[in-house]
mmCIF file with all atom_site columns, all heavy atoms in Angstrom:
data_model
loop_
_atom_site.group_PDB
_atom_site.id
_atom_site.type_symbol
_atom_site.label_atom_id
_atom_site.label_alt_id
_atom_site.label_comp_id
_atom_site.label_asym_id
_atom_site.label_entity_id
_atom_site.label_seq_id
_atom_site.pdbx_PDB_ins_code
_atom_site.Cartn_x
_atom_site.Cartn_y
_atom_site.Cartn_z
_atom_site.occupancy
_atom_site.B_iso_or_equiv
_atom_site.pdbx_formal_charge
_atom_site.auth_seq_id
_atom_site.auth_comp_id
_atom_site.auth_asym_id
_atom_site.auth_atom_id
_atom_site.pdbx_PDB_model_num
ATOM 1  N N   . LYS N 1 290 ? 116.096 158.465 105.296 1.00 90.00 ? 1650 LYS N N   1
ATOM 2  C CA  . LYS N 1 290 ? 115.122 157.784 106.200 1.00 90.00 ? 1650 LYS N CA  1
ATOM 3  C C   . LYS N 1 290 ? 115.717 157.344 107.586 1.00 90.00 ? 1650 LYS N C   1
ATOM 4  O O   . LYS N 1 290 ? 115.238 156.566 108.346 1.00 90.00 ? 1650 LYS N O   1
ATOM 5  C CB  . LYS N 1 290 ? 114.762 156.331 105.556 1.00 90.00 ? 1650 LYS N CB  1
ATOM 6  C CG  . LYS N 1 290 ? 113.986 156.449 104.298 1.00 90.00 ? 1650 LYS N CG  1
ATOM 7  C CD  . LYS N 1 290 ? 113.734 155.124 103.727 1.00 90.00 ? 1650 LYS N CD  1
ATOM 8  C CE  . LYS N 1 290 ? 113.436 155.191 102.217 1.00 90.00 ? 1650 LYS N CE  1
ATOM 9  N NZ  . LYS N 1 290 ? 112.478 156.085 101.798 1.00 90.00 ? 1650 LYS N NZ  1
ATOM 10 N N   . ASN N 1 291 ? 116.860 158.123 107.903 1.00 91.00 ? 1651 ASN N N   1
ATOM 11 C CA  . ASN N 1 291 ? 117.562 157.829 109.061 1.00 91.00 ? 1651 ASN N CA  1
ATOM 12 C C   . ASN N 1 291 ? 118.032 156.388 109.263 1.00 91.00 ? 1651 ASN N C   1
ATOM 13 O O   . ASN N 1 291 ? 117.953 155.830 110.319 1.00 91.00 ? 1651 ASN N O   1
ATOM 14 C CB  . ASN N 1 291 ? 116.776 158.283 110.314 1.00 91.00 ? 1651 ASN N CB  1
ATOM 15 C CG  . ASN N 1 291 ? 117.539 158.926 111.292 1.00 91.00 ? 1651 ASN N CG  1
ATOM 16 O OD1 . ASN N 1 291 ? 118.710 159.173 111.096 1.00 91.00 ? 1651 ASN N OD1 1
ATOM 17 N ND2 . ASN N 1 291 ? 116.982 159.201 112.397 1.00 91.00 ? 1651 ASN N ND2 1
ATOM 18 N N   . LYS N 1 292 ? 118.344 155.724 108.144 1.00 93.00 ? 1652 LYS N N   1
ATOM 19 C CA  . LYS N 1 292 ? 118.666 154.244 108.245 1.00 93.00 ? 1652 LYS N CA  1
ATOM 20 C C   . LYS N 1 292 ? 120.036 154.090 107.611 1.00 93.00 ? 1652 LYS N C   1
ATOM 21 O O   . LYS N 1 292 ? 120.304 153.019 106.961 1.00 93.00 ? 1652 LYS N O   1
ATOM 22 C CB  . LYS N 1 292 ? 117.602 153.508 107.381 1.00 93.00 ? 1652 LYS N CB  1
ATOM 23 C CG  . LYS N 1 292 ? 116.191 153.324 108.115 1.00 93.00 ? 1652 LYS N CG  1
ATOM 24 C CD  . LYS N 1 292 ? 116.313 152.353 109.225 1.00 93.00 ? 1652 LYS N CD  1
ATOM 25 C CE  . LYS N 1 292 ? 115.000 152.281 109.890 1.00 93.00 ? 1652 LYS N CE  1
ATOM 26 N NZ  . LYS N 1 292 ? 115.064 151.497 111.176 1.00 93.00 ? 1652 LYS N NZ  1
ATOM 27 N N   . ILE N 1 293 ? 120.930 154.919 107.819 1.00 95.00 ? 1653 ILE N N   1
ATOM 28 C CA  . ILE N 1 293 ? 122.292 154.819 107.213 1.00 95.00 ? 1653 ILE N CA  1
ATOM 29 C C   . ILE N 1 293 ? 122.949 153.643 107.974 1.00 95.00 ? 1653 ILE N C   1
ATOM 30 O O   . ILE N 1 293 ? 122.895 153.674 109.120 1.00 95.00 ? 1653 ILE N O   1
ATOM 31 C CB  . ILE N 1 293 ? 123.038 156.178 107.301 1.00 95.00 ? 1653 ILE N CB  1
ATOM 32 C CG1 . ILE N 1 293 ? 124.223 156.091 106.387 1.00 95.00 ? 1653 ILE N CG1 1
ATOM 33 C CG2 . ILE N 1 293 ? 123.428 156.551 108.633 1.00 95.00 ? 1653 ILE N CG2 1
ATOM 34 C CD1 . ILE N 1 293 ? 123.960 156.672 105.005 1.00 95.00 ? 1653 ILE N CD1 1
ATOM 35 N N   . PRO N 1 294 ? 123.508 152.704 107.179 1.00 97.00 ? 1654 PRO N N   1
ATOM 36 C CA  . PRO N 1 294 ? 124.129 151.649 107.794 1.00 97.00 ? 1654 PRO N CA  1
ATOM 37 C C   . PRO N 1 294 ? 125.413 152.044 108.597 1.00 97.00 ? 1654 PRO N C   1
ATOM 38 O O   . PRO N 1 294 ? 126.126 153.035 108.161 1.00 97.00 ? 1654 PRO N O   1
ATOM 39 C CB  . PRO N 1 294 ? 124.551 150.765 106.642 1.00 97.00 ? 1654 PRO N CB  1
ATOM 40 C CG  . PRO N 1 294 ? 123.876 151.248 105.487 1.00 97.00 ? 1654 PRO N CG  1
ATOM 41 C CD  . PRO N 1 294 ? 123.512 152.647 105.685 1.00 97.00 ? 1654 PRO N CD  1
ATOM 42 N N   . LYS N 1 295 ? 125.713 151.401 109.712 1.00 97.00 ? 1655 LYS N N   1
ATOM 43 C CA  . LYS N 1 295 ? 126.901 151.815 110.515 1.00 97.00 ? 1655 LYS N CA  1
ATOM 44 C C   . LYS N 1 295 ? 128.103 151.460 109.669 1.00 97.00 ? 1655 LYS N C   1
ATOM 45 O O   . LYS N 1 295 ? 129.136 152.299 109.674 1.00 97.00 ? 1655 LYS N O   1
ATOM 46 C CB  . LYS N 1 295 ? 127.000 151.027 111.805 1.00 97.00 ? 1655 LYS N CB  1
ATOM 47 C CG  . LYS N 1 295 ? 126.158 151.709 112.832 1.00 97.00 ? 1655 LYS N CG  1
ATOM 48 C CD  . LYS N 1 295 ? 126.477 151.087 114.287 1.00 97.00 ? 1655 LYS N CD  1
ATOM 49 C CE  . LYS N 1 295 ? 125.381 150.139 114.552 1.00 97.00 ? 1655 LYS N CE  1
ATOM 50 N NZ  . LYS N 1 295 ? 125.526 149.308 115.704 1.00 97.00 ? 1655 LYS N NZ  1
ATOM 51 N N   . GLU N 1 296 ? 128.103 150.429 108.904 1.00 98.00 ? 1656 GLU N N   1
ATOM 52 C CA  . GLU N 1 296 ? 129.230 150.086 108.010 1.00 98.00 ? 1656 GLU N CA  1
ATOM 53 C C   . GLU N 1 296 ? 128.759 149.644 106.646 1.00 98.00 ? 1656 GLU N C   1
ATOM 54 O O   . GLU N 1 296 ? 127.700 149.040 106.551 1.00 98.00 ? 1656 GLU N O   1
ATOM 55 C CB  . GLU N 1 296 ? 130.036 148.954 108.581 1.00 98.00 ? 1656 GLU N CB  1
ATOM 56 C CG  . GLU N 1 296 ? 130.685 149.225 110.009 1.00 98.00 ? 1656 GLU N CG  1
ATOM 57 C CD  . GLU N 1 296 ? 131.994 149.968 109.851 1.00 98.00 ? 1656 GLU N CD  1
ATOM 58 O OE1 . GLU N 1 296 ? 132.380 150.291 108.780 1.00 98.00 ? 1656 GLU N OE1 1
ATOM 59 O OE2 . GLU N 1 296 ? 132.597 150.233 110.955 1.00 98.00 ? 1656 GLU N OE2 1
ATOM 60 N N   . THR N 1 297 ? 129.406 149.983 105.612 1.00 98.00 ? 1657 THR N N   1
ATOM 61 C CA  . THR N 1 297 ? 129.124 149.447 104.216 1.00 98.00 ? 1657 THR N CA  1
ATOM 62 C C   . THR N 1 297 ? 130.261 148.725 103.725 1.00 98.00 ? 1657 THR N C   1
ATOM 63 O O   . THR N 1 297 ? 131.486 149.353 103.702 1.00 98.00 ? 1657 THR N O   1
ATOM 64 C CB  . THR N 1 297 ? 128.687 150.529 103.337 1.00 98.00 ? 1657 THR N CB  1
ATOM 65 O OG1 . THR N 1 297 ? 127.439 151.207 103.874 1.00 98.00 ? 1657 THR N OG1 1
ATOM 66 C CG2 . THR N 1 297 ? 128.404 150.075 101.997 1.00 98.00 ? 1657 THR N CG2 1
ATOM 67 N N   . LEU N 1 298 ? 130.176 147.503 103.294 1.00 98.00 ? 1658 LEU N N   1
ATOM 68 C CA  . LEU N 1 298 ? 131.275 146.782 102.683 1.00 98.00 ? 1658 LEU N CA  1
ATOM 69 C C   . LEU N 1 298 ? 130.965 146.535 101.217 1.00 98.00 ? 1658 LEU N C   1
ATOM 70 O O   . LEU N 1 298 ? 129.852 145.840 100.887 1.00 98.00 ? 1658 LEU N O   1
ATOM 71 C CB  . LEU N 1 298 ? 131.446 145.401 103.426 1.00 98.00 ? 1658 LEU N CB  1
ATOM 72 C CG  . LEU N 1 298 ? 132.510 144.451 102.872 1.00 98.00 ? 1658 LEU N CG  1
ATOM 73 C CD1 . LEU N 1 298 ? 133.982 145.071 103.093 1.00 98.00 ? 1658 LEU N CD1 1
ATOM 74 C CD2 . LEU N 1 298 ? 132.394 143.063 103.485 1.00 98.00 ? 1658 LEU N CD2 1
ATOM 75 N N   . VAL N 1 299 ? 131.771 146.974 100.342 1.00 98.00 ? 1659 VAL N N   1
ATOM 76 C CA  . VAL N 1 299 ? 131.534 146.750 98.871  1.00 98.00 ? 1659 VAL N CA  1
ATOM 77 C C   . VAL N 1 299 ? 132.525 145.592 98.499  1.00 98.00 ? 1659 VAL N C   1
ATOM 78 O O   . VAL N 1 299 ? 133.628 145.456 98.917  1.00 98.00 ? 1659 VAL N O   1
ATOM 79 C CB  . VAL N 1 299 ? 131.759 148.002 98.052  1.00 98.00 ? 1659 VAL N CB  1
ATOM 80 C CG1 . VAL N 1 299 ? 130.782 149.112 98.543  1.00 98.00 ? 1659 VAL N CG1 1
ATOM 81 C CG2 . VAL N 1 299 ? 133.216 148.456 98.019  1.00 98.00 ? 1659 VAL N CG2 1
#
Side-chain angles (χ1 to χ4, degrees):
K1650 293 180 202 310
N1651 219 8
K1652 287 286 180 191
I1653 195 92
K1655 276 192 263 177
E1656 298 279 3
T1657 296
L1658 176 70
V1659 302

